[in-house]
């Protein structure tokens, strides 16, 4: 993707320089970027060009472990000030180059030019020139790249991000110098680089690669003694300061200087050193070193980090093995070939390529004996007449090791199925390199670098596709390319197939191809051209799986969430969690499943489409798997709910779920993030309407205690139109109760009463005592919150009578606590004390921390009102610990507010200030009025117990508002 801005659309782009002190220009005008912290924040956006950076990332990157007192609120202020400084002119209405996204901020890459982007372009030119053999052009390009550095990168900028980038860019500069000098030495320009290397070794006294280059340059300049003195000096420094001997590369150069090995030192063969084959001349066949590397793929994009790992320094005294694994079509071979061609000149005895065909459609894997004979012929150790078909693998492998003992080779082993295929092919010559690709993680192979290749980044995928199809100058075309890249899952094989189809159908519009790929049922069919097919590539991997793993793989395509864990597969297949985990790990090893984070897995989009396609032939399996996983989610939601098992008399039992307690179930649901609504929708769409209703009901408490009221209502709204299909008729009234609770907790009492009233009428008509008690209790709580204690008392009393009949302890506690709140509100403190004490006792026996925290909060507030400050502090301290443990932020903030008041009454203003600060930190950026209503409704008590907290929050909001951007800007 070009680094230059789209000048025609966006005017004169901004130019930034970071390879030295941070500077910026608009045209020829130098811009003032303000204080250094503000510059550091700009740098954090600039060096992630086009990527959204969250406020927390900016805060951590600029301030590190010591954030400012205002926390993340300083970020919008700094962004606003930067926008003003970077604007074309004061008061300009042009959109800012700093764009606000929902997740944070990003720098508009189309309107910004940086010296770092130019550096990447020049370095790519230099590498291309080197690979093509034009070393002079490579040296010129590298010199131009080094001239972009104007001193220490990002000098004087504070913060962890600037420090890390400063180190990275400084290391980049050192690598460029080494690459340039390497080419200069090969061109015979040793006199030009000696002085530069002496200066570089002075600033990097422990860098052994610099010392090795200096020794080679001195040797080429006929200064062998000086070269040996460099080694002695570096060795002495390493031993004295670090207690370590020089590494393999420096020792090898030292030995080469002693032996006058010009092949290694300057790349020019001498008569005495050209042959590295130590066999007698009569027994050695004449041969030229072979270069069997495939042609480099055109349009190779990205993969810089992976290339750097493959090209990292090697141990020159051993054979280096590096392995690349990944799913079918991800570009493993292209990456390895690109890396191999970049360093092939370092292997004077040949670059060999072996295709083991482990995953080729319609082709048997290569026979090991045949592969070894081909390798022996390639190094001149076997002629056609010597091709004895009776030779065994062990004997041929021994001959291969003997033949390569004195050779420096590169061997690329492509498409291995297992480690045992590769081990016999390893050469024996020190300094040799073996690059291996496989769809499986070859953990049985000793490798010093392992790279698990993922699909391309979004911008890289777009660049690859654009390079193939061309003609994407318009905004609609760019948008279509972006969507095609997404539909291809950013997989290089799929992108190249789409590109080839577009080339063969020039009249097809990009938008038409988007439509053809958008249908999951036909997407894999579209991703095929001649002998290249994404589906065929996946089919080979699938066919090689054992039966049990095939079944697990195809059912994972029906996971209701993008990421999943072992419990999902266990529920689908009725396995134990440990057996499911072993199955998932096997699929990870086969590169069909990706471990997104520890313990959670996912299928790439195209792989999931393929899994669902092969599962279509097994409808009974799919139906059983879906039923199992929906039951798992229902049981998890019920286990996480504070309502308790009595509240769910129909459907799966909450204690049947594989979770030790409610907190473990809550953590598991947290792993689904915002996809829980999708699970409800999928259950409903698949005809599991009862499960959808039970899940929406069970999630009500989970969602509302986290303030996710919209999700709570959305889950219920999915099922409400389907009530006629419900066999569990309890859901008809209970879903309406859930809607009433969600509205009531937000302070929408009118809507809450309508939903709860309807739930009460339905449950009375059906004779459902439990649902009547719940609807009446909720109506009483919200009546009290709305300031109607008399009506609340009547409703709560009726609810209590019914809850005793159904023996629901949770409803009993809520009744006692809320009746106590009514007495407290009307000044009957003794009666309130009795109700609260009974509620606390019952809540403790139930062992559910959240309802106990609520009741202790009320008890502590009453004690505070009665002047019993020590007892109040004790109760509130317990309440705060429990609220924090269950993650109920409004409850936690409310308790801290009251705890601060208790500390003030006890004469501890420092403790009070600390609790106020913790409360403000807990509520974060939530608005004061909304927080006040949420706390009030969450507690079922209309007098807000945290007026001090809310007022402080309001004052803070007003102070931030005064520093907000001018109208038309967002931060």
């Amino acid at each position: 993707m070009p680094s230059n801005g789209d000048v025609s659309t966006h005017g004169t782009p901004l130019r930034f320089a970071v390879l030295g002190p941070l500077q910026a220009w608009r045209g020829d005008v130098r811009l003032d970027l303000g204080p250094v912290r503000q510059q550091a924040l700009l740098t954090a956006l600039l060096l992630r060009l086009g990527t959204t950076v969250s406020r927390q990332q900016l805060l951590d990157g600029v301030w590190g472990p010591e954030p400012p007192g205002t926390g993340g609120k300083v970020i919008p202020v700094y962004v606003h000030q930067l926008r003003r400084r970077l604007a074309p002119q004061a008061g300009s209405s042009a959109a800012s180059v700093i764009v606000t996204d929902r997740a944070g901020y990003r720098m508009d890459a189309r309107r910004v030019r940086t010296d770092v982007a130019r550096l990447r372009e020049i370095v790519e030119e230099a590498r291309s020139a080197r690979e093509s053999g034009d070393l002079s052009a490579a040296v010129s390009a590298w010199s131009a790249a080094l001239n972009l550095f104007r001193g220490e990168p990002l000098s004087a900028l504070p913060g962890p991000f600037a420090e890390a980038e400063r180190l990275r860019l400084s290391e980049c500069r050192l690598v460029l110098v080494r690459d340039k000098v390497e080419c200069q030495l090969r061109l015979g320009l040793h006199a030009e680089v000696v002085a530069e290397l002496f200066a570089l070794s002075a600033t990097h006294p422990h860098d052994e690669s610099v010392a090795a280059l200096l020794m080679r340059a001195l040797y080429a300049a006929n200064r062998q003694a000086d070269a040996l003195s460099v080694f002695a000096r570096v060795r002495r420094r390493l031993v004295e300061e670090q207690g370590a001997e020089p590494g393999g590369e420096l020792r090898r150069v030292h030995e080469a200087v002693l032996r006058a090995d010009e092949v290694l030192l300057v790349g020019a063969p001498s008569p005495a050193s050209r042959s590295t084959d130590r066999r007698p001349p009569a027994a050695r066949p004449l041969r030229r070193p072979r270069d069997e590397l495939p042609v480099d793929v055109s349009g190779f994009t990205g993969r810089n980090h992976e290339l750097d790992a493959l090209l990292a320094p090697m141990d020159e005294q051993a054979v280096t093995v590096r392995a690349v694994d990944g799913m079918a079509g991800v570009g493993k071979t292209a990456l390895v070939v690109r890396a191999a061609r970049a360093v092939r000149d370092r292997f004077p005895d040949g670059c060999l390529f072996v295709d083991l065909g482990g995953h080729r459609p319609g082709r048997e894997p290569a026979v090991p004996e045949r592969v070894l004979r081909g390798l022996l012929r390639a190094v001149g150790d076997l002629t056609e007449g010597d091709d004895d078909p009776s030779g065994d693998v062990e004997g041929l492998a021994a001959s291969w090791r003997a033949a390569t003992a004195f050779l420096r080779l590169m061997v690329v082993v492509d498409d291995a199925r297992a480690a045992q295929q590769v081990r016999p092919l390893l050469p024996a010559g020190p300094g040799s390199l073996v690059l291996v690709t496989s769809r499986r993680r070859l953990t049985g192979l000793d490798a010093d670098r392992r790279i698990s290749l993922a699909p391309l980044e979004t911008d890289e995928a777009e660049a690859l596709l654009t390079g193939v199809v061309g003609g994407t100058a318009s905004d609609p075309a760019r948008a279509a390319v972006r969507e095609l890249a997404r539909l291809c899952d950013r997989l290089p094989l799929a992108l190249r197939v789409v590109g080839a189809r577009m080339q063969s159908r020039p009249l097809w519009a990009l938008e038409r191809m988007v439509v053809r790929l958008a249908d999951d049922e036909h997407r894999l069919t579209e991703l095929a051209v001649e002998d290249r097919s994404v589906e065929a590539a996946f089919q080979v991997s699938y066919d090689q799986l054992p039966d049990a793993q095939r079944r697990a793989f195809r059912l994972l395509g029906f996971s209701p969430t993008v990421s999943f864990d072992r419990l999902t597969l266990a529920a689908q297949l009725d396995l134990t969690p440990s057996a499911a985990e072993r199955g998932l790990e096997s699929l990870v090893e086969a590169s069909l499943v990706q471990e997104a984070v520890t313990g959670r897995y996912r299928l790439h989009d195209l792989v999931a489409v393929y899994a669902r396609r092969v599962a279509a032939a097994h409808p009974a399996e799919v139906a059983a798997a879906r039923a199992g996983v929906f039951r798992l989610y229902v049981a998890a939601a019920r286990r996480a709910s504070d309502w308790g098992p009595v509240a769910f008399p129909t459907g799966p039992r909450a204690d049947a779920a594989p979770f030790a307690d409610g907190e473990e179930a809550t953590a598991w649901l947290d792993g689904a993030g915002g996809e829980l609504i999708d699970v409800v929708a999928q259950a409903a769409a698949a005809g599991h309407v009862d499960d959808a209703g039970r899940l929406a009901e069970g999630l009500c408490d989970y969602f509302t205690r986290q303030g996710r009221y919209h999700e709570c209502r959305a889950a219920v709204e999915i099922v409400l139109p389907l009530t006629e299909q419900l066999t569990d008729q309890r859901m008809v009234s209970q879903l309406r109760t859930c809607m009433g609770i969600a509205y009531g907790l937000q302070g929408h009492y009118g809507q809450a009463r309508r939903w709860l009233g309807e739930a009460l009428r339905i449950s009375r008509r059906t004779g459902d005592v439990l649902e009547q008690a719940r609807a009446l209790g909720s109506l009483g709580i919200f009546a009290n919150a709305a300031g109607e204690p008399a009506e609340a008392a009547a409703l709560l009393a009726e609810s209590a009578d019914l809850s005793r009949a159904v023996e629901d302890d949770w409803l009993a506690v809520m009744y006692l606590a809320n009746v106590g709140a009514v007495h407290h509100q009307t000044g009957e403190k003794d009666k309130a004390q009795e109700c609260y004490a009974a509620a606390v006792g019952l809540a403790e026996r139930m062992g559910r921390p959240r309802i106990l925290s609520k009741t202790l909060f009320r008890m502590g507030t009453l004690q505070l009102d009665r002047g019993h400050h020590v007892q109040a502090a004790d109760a509130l301290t317990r309440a705060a610990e429990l609220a924090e443990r269950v993650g109920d932020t409004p409850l936690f903030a409310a308790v801290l507010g009251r705890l601060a008041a208790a500390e003030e009454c006890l004469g501890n203003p420092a403790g009070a200030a600390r609790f106020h600060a913790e409360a403000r930190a807990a509520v974060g950026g939530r608005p004061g009025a909304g927080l006040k209503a949420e706390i009030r409704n969450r507690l079922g008590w209309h007098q807000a117990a945290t007026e001090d907290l809310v007022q402080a929050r309001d004052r803070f909001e007003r102070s931030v508002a005064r520093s907000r951007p001018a109208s038309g800007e967002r931060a």
Side-chain angles (χ1 to χ4, degrees), residues 293 340 343-344 347 350-352 408-412 433 435:
L293 296 179
V343 294
R344 60 183 175 181
F347 301 93
C351 301
L352 309 181
R408 183 178 170 91
L409 292 168
M410 182 201 302
V411 181
V412 175
L433 173 65
L435 301 176

Side-chain angles (χ1 to χ4, degrees), residues 458 462 465 475-487 514:
T458 299
E462 292 175 20
L465 190 54
D475 287 342
R478 284 194 292 269
V481 165
R482 187 176 306 112
E483 182 63 10
L484 283 173
R486 185 190 69 79
L487 291 170
V514 168

Side-chain angles (χ1 to χ4, degrees), residues 158-195:
F161 180 83
E163 178 62 24
E165 289 299 304
R166 189 158 39 244
L167 293 173
R168 182 182 70 82
L169 293 171
S170 298
E171 179 63 25
C172 175
R173 182 180 184 277
L174 184 60
V175 170
L176 295 181
V177 172
R178 291 199 297 255
D179 286 345
K180 177 179 75 75
V181 167
E182 180 73 41
C183 287
Q184 288 174 303
L185 289 177
R186 288 163 58 191
L187 287 168
L189 304 176
H190 44 269
E192 295 182 11
V193 301
V194 167

Side-chain angles (χ1 to χ4, degrees), residues 359 417 440 539-555 573 582-592 614 618 621:
H359 302 87
R417 184 182 291 187
R440 304 190 66 86
Q539 183 75 38
V540 175
S541 294
Y542 174 75
D543 287 343
Q544 291 177 358
L545 295 174
D547 288 342
Q549 290 180 28
R550 287 190 204 176
R551 184 180 178 215
F553 167 72
R554 59 185 178 248
L555 293 181
L573 292 174
R582 288 193 296 272
L584 285 167
E585 288 300 321
S586 297
L587 291 171
V588 169
E589 291 293 321
S591 294
L592 285 169
V614 294
H618 307 270
E621 280 184 2

Side-chain angles (χ1 to χ4, degrees), residues 760 764 772-773 775-781 783-784 788-802 804 815 818-819 822-823:
L760 181 59
R764 280 175 171 164
Q772 291 177 56
L776 284 165
S778 299
L779 283 167
I781 290 171
N784 195 31
E788 300 170 358
E791 182 182 352
L795 290 165
L796 289 167
E798 189 177 354
S799 173
D801 291 338
L802 295 174
R804 280 191 290 271
Y815 161 74
N818 283 281
V819 168
V822 173
H823 290 313

